[in-house]
Amino acid sequence: MTDYHLTHLKQLEAESIHILREVAAEFDKPVMLYSVGKDSSVMLHLAMKAFAPGKLPFPLMHVDTTWKFKEMIKFRDEYTKKLGVDLIVYINQEGVDAGIGPFTHGSAKHTDVMKTQGLKQALDKYEFNAVFGGARRDEEKSRAKERVYSFRDKNHRWDPKNQRPELWNIYNSELNKGEEIRVFPLSNWTELDIWQYIHLEGIPIVSLYLAAERPIVWRDGIMVLVDDDRLPLEPGEEPEMKMVRFRTLGCYPLTGAVESKATTLPEVIQEMLLATTSERQGRLIDSDSSGSMEKKKIEGYF
Amino acid sequence: MSHKSDLIATNIDEYLKQQEHKELLRFLTCGSVDDGKSTLIGRLLHDSKLIYEDQLEAVKADSVKSGTVEGGMDLALLVDGLQAEREQGITIDVAYRYFSTAKRKYIIADTPGHEQYTRNMATGASNCDLAIILVDARNGVLTQTKRHTFIATLLGIKHVIVAINKMDLVDYSEEVYQKIKSDYEAFSVKLDIHDLRYLPLSALIGDNVVNESEKMPWYQGAPLMSMLENIQISSDRNLDDFRFPVQYVNRPNPDFRGYCGTVASGIVKKGDNILVLPSRKTSRVKSIFTYDGELEEAFPPQAITLTLTDEIDISRGDMLVNVDNLPALSDKFDAHVVWMSEQPLLPGKQYIIKQATRKITGNISTIRYKINVNTLEQESTPVLKLNEIARCEVSVSQSIAFDPYKTNRQTGSFIIIDRMTNFTVGAGMIIGASSKTAVGSWDEVSRSDLLSSTDSRVSAAERQARFGQIPRVLLLTGLTGSGKSTIAYALERRLFDMGRAATVLDGQNMRLGPSRDLGFDADARSENLRRTIEIAKLMNRAGLIVICAFVAPSEEVRQKAKESVGNDLLLVHVNAPLEICQERDQSGVYQAVEKEGLDTIPGVSYPYDVPKNPDIVLQTDKLSVEESVNSLIALLVEKDTFDLGVSASLGYL
């Protein structure tokens, strides 16, 4: 290191740690949204680095739609316990009472009630004013313009046309009561950066990201994992066993598996680099219409 | 998305190892509406084979729908994000795009060309190393082109590539290219661009983007992508001045007290002596802690945690610096301000100023002038409006530590926040402590009105009787090497031997002590002399003759000293031709000018005002030290400082 150079990953790491510390220093009620996915895993790892040797000065929060992969929940509980971090699990009880689910109400309604509304309820309940999210700008076109500190009004809405200018690494943390800032420490990371960093740092991730023999059925052109008996099977339908993995993780009925032989991280990266389709294609939620993510974000979806 | 390499399929582990050593280059693309920025970025991604099939399919479908490019693919659609702008066909906000090659990872800030979105352009430029300024070959250099070039350089971008686009529409004409190049040169010569390159291309067709153009054999240079790959950016960093704005204090247990932050510039090593600003407490670096283990040294932009050997009070907003290399510390400074709000900037209105990790209130005390971005001329103005740029004086409620933006982007930048709307309304780049302030500090009154001077019970007359002299201040001014210090100390010796009480204040003892925080620009020199004069006055009051040996290059500042002391100050011009001074010089400053281009050496790279009304001129190329001292003794006698009776009888004159 005598030439005083940082590799691009070390630069990204330093930038993220800077953001995490800024928020912890300037906000009285920060929270980190933890989705158990690979981006969340990297964000949590960076937070552990930022505040070492101390503990995280904020809790994690998982908005549980009750339709997550079983393995995600198990991983979540074990890993957060091992790290000794505080975890809040929030479930939209109204949605549960109304029996909202992706099979009965469709993906749009389910996501809105259990995820978007659930998040708003949780933010209102705990009065968090700075909310870390693991989103990256390279994920989707409308995210490419999001600030690191993304301002939300008291109704948690985003106004893409009236964003605060963000210069250098000086962030505007001024808020009125009831308003909040969504903070994206991984803004400048790409999918490849995330995988490489997980590989380099040996960050634990849910094994659903690695290929294994799993029971799947086909729904609307995507392969869905039969994760529990809530998945309605057609008469006479039998799940097939296939070598599959997941490129993103969400609600199991809404997340498509891809066929894969990649059982190690380098193999996953290899498949990803050789792939010809982009990451979010496996998600039902984005394909409703062009610009649909932007609409959801204005509504307060993460 | 990443560059395709055969290694991916054959040896993924080796490929990943290679990827670990990539550099990061951030650049922005800017130019006028319809110059083809988004198309260029789309082309860079497309020709580098960085587009996924599903994205390409979506673009093909969208191209048919929008119909902007007849029968073809509108690559701009890959880039334009928000729905509103897709419909309007313009880019309204900074969009960040990412791609990488085997050598570098790139972050592109795609910034809007519309005049009203200048603030976003400044936003995009603030984190970039390089700018691509697009010019439409049919239109040539426009107002927007100049504006964007100016903002890019104002925000400290050192590398500029002028991409003359749409060459296909002017028949790939070299003449058109040369004309635009010379127009641009005529404009940009007034700006401080460290590295400027020109390039003819067609983003739509793909000429000179990734692949060399066959249509422009007259162009000998590299295509855009290869320029981006090879431009050296690492030397742009400041590794000299250690600055560490404290972000967060980490106290997990009573045994650990860590100061977290990002190294803004310079290098810090374990054991370094540091100074805390603004409190000026000193300590030593005990350890450089990171999650991955302790470091021996750290450099920018590493995010680290420092622990110190002493328990001193340090909090967020303080700055740790090396004791031997200090930033400016002031509550008033001059800065270039870019205004970003519909509500105009009002001088005197209180705003929140955020600089490094410090947040304080402050105001723009004066708008010195507005800069016309088309002509770069200075215009006076009462207010600053959206997208206007001005040189302002900023006053803040407490002194802050800073450096000029030119030498330090991290400690020389700030944002301005409106206290009512919470909106970021302006961005500033510090030029330096206000020149007015420094000279003005001679006239400033004490901050505390509880203070008053109490008369001593020993009268001046009693002291004069005791010492047999009336105290005076001799101010010896002259170039480095003119002989000031030699004469000052020889005079001190002579006076002592004569039974008089005298002492010397010079650049050495002042700069090692009371003025060790000061640099060598005009403001700092002025302040150094002000402090000297204050000390000299205290010594005068104690009855001593004080000999001050200083370059003191500014006539204005010397006049201030004269006003401050009154008739008891005698101005001595120690004069010798520059060549002789250079020959005599023992400090090595003159050689340093030649070697390192120092721009702070009076008489060479910095003005020295010849004193207008000195009490005496000592022509030291003709006089010996002895003769010079004799002349000064004679001057002191002439001014009734003491009489020679006793001394003369002892044989000293």
Side-chain angles (χ1 to χ4, degrees):
Chain A
M1 290 268 239
T2 47
D3 60 348
Y4 304 115
H5 271 300
L6 286 185
T7 65
H8 78 288
L9 283 176
K10 281 287 170 191
Q11 277 195 52
L12 291 172
E13 178 190 80
E15 178 182 286
S16 301
I17 290 175
H18 180 85
I19 295 163
L20 287 156
R21 287 172 172 170
E22 276 298 289
V23 171
E26 291 213 302
F27 291 90
D28 56 342
K29 293 278 281 180
V31 67
M32 176 173 281
L33 289 188
Y34 178 65
S35 74
V36 205
K38 63 182 195 304
D39 301 311
S40 281
S41 297
V42 168
M43 181 164 63
L44 175 55
H45 184 73
L46 290 165
M48 298 302 291
K49 284 197 173 193
F51 302 103
K55 286 179 60 172
L56 294 194
F58 43 76
L60 303 187
M61 183 166 77
H62 182 222
V63 178
D64 190 347
T65 61
T66 73
W67 288 86
K68 300 292 174 190
F69 293 90
K70 284 197 298 274
E71 208 190 313
M72 288 170 73
I73 302 304
K74 185 164 170 274
F75 178 90
R76 177 193 76 190
D77 294 340
E78 287 174 4
Y79 188 51
T80 52
K81 195 173 164 207
K82 187 177 158 230
L83 292 181
V85 296
D86 298 331
L87 173 73
I88 298 168
V89 174
Y90 187 86
I91 296 173
N92 179 356
Q93 197 51 47
E94 288 170 28
V96 173
D97 294 345
I100 301 288
F103 297 117
T104 44
H105 297 77
S107 73
K109 179 92 182 231
H110 164 72
T111 307
D112 179 54
V113 173
M114 298 309 292
K115 200 165 170 177
T116 310
Q117 301 304 324
L119 173 62
K120 285 188 193 178
Q121 287 171 7
L123 295 178
D124 288 341
K125 178 178 172 191
Y126 294 101
E127 298 183 329
F128 291 122
N129 55 7
V131 188
F132 289 110
R136 293 176 280 111
R137 285 180 183 142
D138 85 320
E139 279 177 63
E140 207 264 345
K141 275 195 278 188
S142 77
R143 287 214 197 276
K145 305 202 167 181
E146 184 129 12
R147 304 289 190 257
V148 172
Y149 274 34
S150 187
F151 178 79
R152 302 297 152 103
D153 67 16
K154 23 183 213 307
N155 301 313
H156 311 290
R157 286 177 69 99
W158 183 55
D159 182 357
K161 283 193 180 170
N162 199 23
Q163 300 194 76
R164 295 174 177 178
E166 199 164 80
L167 295 99
W168 302 290
N169 60 359
I170 311 175
Y171 300 102
N172 179 344
S173 55
E174 299 305 308
L175 289 182
N176 290 324
K177 202 169 160 45
E179 297 168 343
E180 86 216 22
I181 299 264
R182 305 276 168 102
V183 183
F184 302 107
L186 304 179
S187 283
N188 287 323
W189 296 60
T190 62
E191 188 184 13
L192 178 61
D193 296 329
I194 294 286
W195 281 123
Q196 257 183 290
Y197 189 72
I198 290 172
H199 176 54
L200 268 177
E201 298 277 315
I203 301 170
I205 48 164
V206 184
S207 67
L208 289 162
Y209 284 117
L210 302 177
E213 289 272 343
R214 296 187 171 99
I216 63 104
V217 293
W218 287 89
R219 290 288 180 274
D220 296 331
I222 66 165
M223 280 188 278
V224 173
L225 180 77
V226 183
D227 199 46
D228 59 35
D229 54 14
R230 288 180 295 178
L231 190 141
L233 296 175
E234 304 292 319
E237 188 183 33
E238 283 289 327
E240 312 174 49
M241 291 304 285
K242 265 187 184 289
M243 274 296 274
V244 293
R245 65 179 172 87
F246 294 86
R247 293 167 63 171
T248 60
L249 295 178
C251 296
Y252 82 81
L254 302 176
T255 310
V258 290
E259 280 197 70
S260 167
K261 293 190 181 63
T263 55
T264 67
L265 258 179
E267 284 167 6
V268 170
I269 298 173
Q270 184 175 33
E271 280 194 1
M272 186 202 100
L273 290 172
L274 297 173
T276 53
T277 54
S278 65
E279 178 184 11
R280 296 192 74 94
Q281 217 200 18
R283 285 200 187 176
L284 279 177
I285 186 171
D286 290 345
S287 55
D288 297 351
S289 71
S290 187
S292 69
M293 177 62 88
E294 187 181 328
K295 284 177 199 151
K296 287 199 176 65
K297 266 156 52 87
I298 291 173
E299 294 299 325
Y301 175 75
F302 233 86
Chain B
M1 281 176 288
S2 176
H3 195 66
K4 302 296 179 200
S5 155
D6 291 339
L7 266 186
I8 295 170
T10 55
N11 189 344
I12 185 69
D13 292 316
E14 182 56 36
Y15 174 81
L16 287 175
K17 215 168 251 157
Q18 282 183 10
Q19 299 294 303
E20 285 170 28
H21 299 288
K22 269 195 264 191
E23 285 182 318
L24 183 59
L25 174 69
R26 299 173 196 247
F27 69 91
L28 84 156
T29 53
C30 45
S32 205
V33 177
D34 299 330
D35 283 341
K37 290 185 306 296
S38 300
T39 308
L40 178 68
I41 296 169
R43 175 59 66 182
L44 269 177
L45 303 180
H46 180 266
D47 285 12
S48 313
K49 315 272 185 295
L50 297 168
I51 311 278
Y52 288 116
E53 266 174 25
D54 58 326
Q55 292 177 314
L56 215 52
E57 284 307 314
V59 167
K60 278 182 189 159
D62 282 354
S63 298
V64 174
K65 218 192 300 175
S66 69
T68 43
V69 176
E70 229 171 293
M73 216 180 356
D74 186 355
L75 291 172
L77 292 173
L78 273 171
V79 179
D80 291 344
L82 300 180
Q83 251 181 352
E85 79 192 50
R86 246 178 292 164
E87 279 150 21
Q88 291 166 24
I90 52 158
T91 312
I92 58 166
D93 203 341
V94 194
Y96 295 91
R97 297 290 303 185
Y98 303 84
F99 73 98
S100 63
T101 62
K103 193 171 168 190
R104 283 179 169 165
K105 169 181 166 131
Y106 295 94
I107 301 180
I108 314 177
D110 181 17
T111 60
H114 255 183
E115 188 172 335
Q116 63 267 42
Y117 296 115
T118 295
R119 69 165 200 225
N120 290 325
M121 145 102 210
T123 302
S126 69
N127 284 316
C128 285
D129 310 299
L130 178 149
I132 298 175
I133 309 265
L134 272 148
V135 177
D136 186 329
R138 295 168 305 174
N139 304 330
V141 175
L142 300 176
T143 305
Q144 287 301 309
T145 318
K146 296 178 182 175
R147 179 189 290 269
H148 291 319
T149 305
F150 176 63
I151 297 170
T153 53
L154 191 69
L155 277 123
I157 288 183
K158 294 195 162 72
H159 309 274
V160 171
I161 298 174
V162 181
I164 299 163
N165 190 23
K166 305 196 183 181
M167 288 300 291
D168 53 314
L169 300 180
V170 295
D171 298 327
Y172 300 100
S173 156
E174 185 180 4
E175 205 181 313
V176 171
Y177 169 76
Q178 292 297 352
K179 166 86 171 64
I180 293 172
K181 191 174 159 183
S182 65
D183 285 353
Y184 190 90
E185 246 153 31
F187 163 77
S188 66
V189 71
K190 290 176 239 168
L191 298 167
D192 182 20
I193 308 178
H194 172 81
D195 170 26
L196 177 63
R197 299 158 195 238
Y198 298 89
L199 169 85
L201 58 81
S202 166
L204 194 71
I205 313 284
D207 285 290
N208 278 341
V209 180
V210 172
N211 305 315
E212 276 180 36
S213 171
E214 289 167 10
K215 316 245 178 46
M216 291 176 278
W218 47 265
Y219 172 72
Q220 304 296 319
L224 181 61
M225 184 62 116
S226 108
M227 273 190 191
L228 293 175
E229 288 280 82
N230 295 309
I231 283 178
Q232 289 294 325
I233 43 162
S234 51
S235 57
D236 299 348
R237 292 174 307 159
N238 178 341
L239 294 177
D240 301 326
D241 315 314
F242 173 62
R243 308 284 186 258
F244 187 76
V246 175
Q247 253 192 308
Y248 182 85
V249 181
N250 198 355
R251 288 208 76 174
N253 59 62
D255 301 327
F256 188 92
R257 189 189 184 108
Y259 304 102
C260 306
T262 301
V263 180
S265 62
I267 293 159
V268 62
K269 294 187 170 71
K270 219 165 131 173
D272 276 358
N273 290 312
I274 56 99
L275 182 77
V276 184
L277 291 173
S279 71
R280 295 185 180 280
K281 293 195 176 95
T282 56
S283 187
R284 212 193 240 289
V285 176
K286 186 167 141 199
S287 71
I288 304 173
F289 178 90
T290 76
Y291 175 92
D292 301 300
E294 286 194 11
L295 305 175
E296 285 303 309
E297 56 180 346
F299 54 91
Q302 283 183 309
I304 54 169
T305 300
L306 292 177
T307 64
L308 304 178
T309 51
D310 305 273
E311 282 239 345
I312 46 181
D313 183 29
I314 300 174
S315 46
R316 176 179 165 84
D318 288 347
M319 197 185 287
L320 308 189
V321 303
N322 193 298
V323 281
D324 297 324
N325 178 329
L326 304 181
L329 188 70
S330 174
D331 58 1
K332 271 195 189 126
F333 50 85
D334 267 34
H336 284 120
V337 170
V338 180
W339 200 247
M340 302 182 155
S341 164
E342 300 281 352
Q343 306 283 322
L345 181 162
L346 299 174
K349 177 176 166 174
Q350 290 295 312
Y351 295 99
I352 295 168
I353 308 277
K354 215 173 168 189
Q355 176 251 2
T357 55
R358 183 163 278 261
K359 189 164 84 177
I360 43 174
T361 55
N363 67 81
I364 308 300
S365 31
T366 313
I367 301 176
R368 298 200 190 280
Y369 53 81
K370 178 169 93 175
I371 299 166
N372 180 324
V373 292
N374 305 327
T375 60
L376 300 186
E377 275 164 13
Q378 303 171 2
E379 297 165 5
S380 67
T381 179
V383 293
L384 199 63
K385 289 187 266 188
L386 179 63
N387 292 313
E388 290 186 334
I389 298 165
R391 179 174 175 147
C392 301
E393 182 188 62
V394 183
S395 305
V396 287
S397 55
Q398 293 161 32
S399 286
I400 58 167
F402 61 84
D403 295 282
Y405 186 76
K406 227 175 153 176
T407 56
N408 201 320
R409 243 174 157 176
Q410 305 302 319
T411 58
S413 54
F414 61 93
I415 61 170
I416 306 170
I417 301 168
D418 188 292
R419 297 201 301 178
M420 300 308 293
T421 64
N422 290 336
F423 204 76
T424 305
V425 291
M429 284 125 309
I430 297 175
I431 298 162
S434 307
S435 43
K436 203 176 135 204
T437 316
V439 178
S441 68
W442 288 87
D443 304 324
E444 259 177 33
V445 290
S446 166
R447 302 294 164 88
S448 170
D449 42 43
L450 297 173
L451 298 174
S452 63
S453 54
T454 309
D455 288 333
S456 171
R457 297 198 190 162
V458 181
S459 75
E462 283 173 291
R463 285 187 213 270
Q464 285 172 18
R466 159 97 35 110
F467 289 111
Q469 63 188 33
I470 297 173
R472 306 280 184 207
V473 177
L474 281 142
L475 175 55
L476 278 58
T477 167
L479 300 178
T480 301
S482 61
K484 299 179 301 294
S485 288
T486 311
I487 294 170
Y489 285 105
L491 177 62
E492 179 191 38
R493 181 73 234 176
R494 177 81 66 84
L495 288 167
F496 184 82
D497 291 343
M498 288 165 67
R500 305 277 75 88
T503 189
V504 175
L505 288 175
D506 66 359
Q508 299 300 317
N509 54 36
M510 283 302 292
R511 293 227 175 240
L512 291 175
S515 293
R516 67 173 167 226
D517 57 321
L518 298 177
F520 290 89
D521 59 13
D523 301 343
R525 285 176 186 279
S526 165
E527 175 62 14
N528 184 39
L529 194 64
R530 188 189 68 81
R531 293 180 191 177
T532 304
I533 294 297
E534 288 297 336
I535 293 168
K537 280 158 73 178
L538 291 173
M539 289 176 158
N540 262 193
R541 211 151 39 144
L544 305 181
I545 295 169
V546 187
I547 310 158
C548 304
F550 287 86
V551 179
S554 157
E555 176 73 15
E556 187 191 359
V557 170
R558 288 191 300 255
Q559 283 308 314
K560 287 283 178 193
K562 182 99 195 167
E563 281 168 36
S564 173
V565 179
N567 287 334
D568 290 336
L569 185 134
L570 303 174
L571 186 65
V572 181
H573 182 197
V574 183
N575 192 21
L578 180 61
E579 310 79 69
I580 291 183
C581 294
Q582 284 173 327
E583 228 167 80
R584 281 184 193 158
D585 171 41
Q586 288 164 356
S587 61
V589 292
Y590 290 109
Q591 279 123 324
V593 184
E594 280 173 33
K595 257 192 289 179
E596 294 155 41
L598 287 184
D599 58 3
T600 51
I601 308 306
V604 183
S605 51
Y606 186 96
Y608 177 83
D609 304 338
V610 175
K612 284 189 186 125
N613 302 304
D615 292 282
I616 188 170
V617 179
L618 299 175
Q619 206 62 45
T620 58
D621 52 331
K622 302 199 177 79
L623 297 175
S624 69
V625 175
E626 179 90 14
E627 289 165 333
S628 298
V629 171
N630 289 344
S631 308
L632 291 177
I633 296 286
L635 175 70
L636 288 169
V637 171
E638 185 199 315
K639 300 284 178 189
D640 293 319
T641 309
F642 43 81
D643 74 56
L644 279 176
V646 184
S647 311
S649 67
L650 289 171
Y652 282 105
L653 266 175

